[in-house]
Amino acid sequence: MSFVKVENITFRFAKGLPAVIDELSFTMVQGEIVGILGPSGSGKSTLLRLLAGLEIPERGEITIDGRLIVDERTFVEPEQRCVGMVFQDYALFPNMTVAQNIMFGLHKLNRSLRQEKMEQMLELLHMTDYAKRYPHELSGGQQQRVALARALAPQPSILLMDEPFSSLDANLKATIRSELRHILQKTNITCLLVSHDPADIDAICDRVLKVSARH
Ligand code: ADP
Ligand code: MG
């Protein structure tokens, strides 16, 4: 049974413009790591934004974990979707420590559970010694790991990653790739990872979904 179901999704930025996403359908099983590969401008980020609820499709429907999140009559708000996101530019809060960044999405938990969850995440990502540091005191790779910890901490149904390695140098990228695959498998999270580099997808994903430029 499908854990994620995207059916005939069509999206355009304005009436009269060509569709950025045109009748796209695919499914994912739980725990699957799927890569989205396509050239710049092919709508990869837009697809993730549709799943996260940051854009609304013109047509089609999306179901995650048996719950309809969008169709012609339904729109579940982004914060109600249990979707975790990691972007290319980390987007950590610069004035918060690593620990505070990770706990940010855990406001629904009480203080001790929040602390416990944060410590678990630090351990998973081998960042325990960095809890009190600020983002500017970390390397790019470490910042990316914290961004991943922050996205995973609330235990989202699905993790969306948009070009997560594009700010990393080639050496670091190789290390992070294998580490990421390991972490995703360990948490058994369902994940969509966007990249324009086939090597990223090869190293991390179970399967690839190709999107092409259409204009
Ligand atoms: P990708 O992530 O694959 O590079 P995007 O999803 O960012 O592609 O963009 C897909 C297309 O939509 C591109 O042609 C882009 O120029 C266009 N686009 C992106 N954002 C906007 C916007 N806010 N308004 C109008 N067009 C946009
Ligand atoms: Mg993009």
Side-chain angles (χ1 to χ4, degrees), residues 20 37-39 41-43 210-215:
V20 171
L37 183 66
S42 56
K210 287 187 178 140
V211 289
S212 50
R214 49 181 63 257
H215 24 73

Side-chain angles (χ1 to χ4, degrees), residues 125-141:
L125 297 188
H126 310 294
M127 292 289 291
T128 303
D129 297 341
Y130 298 86
K132 296 204 168 93
R133 295 228 193 155
Y134 285 87
H136 74 268
E137 299 171 311
L138 302 175
S139 71

Side-chain angles (χ1 to χ4, degrees), residues 40-41 43-46 88 162-163 194:
S40 182
K44 304 182 299 298
S45 296
T46 304
Q88 60 187 64
D162 195 353
E163 308 265 7
V194 159

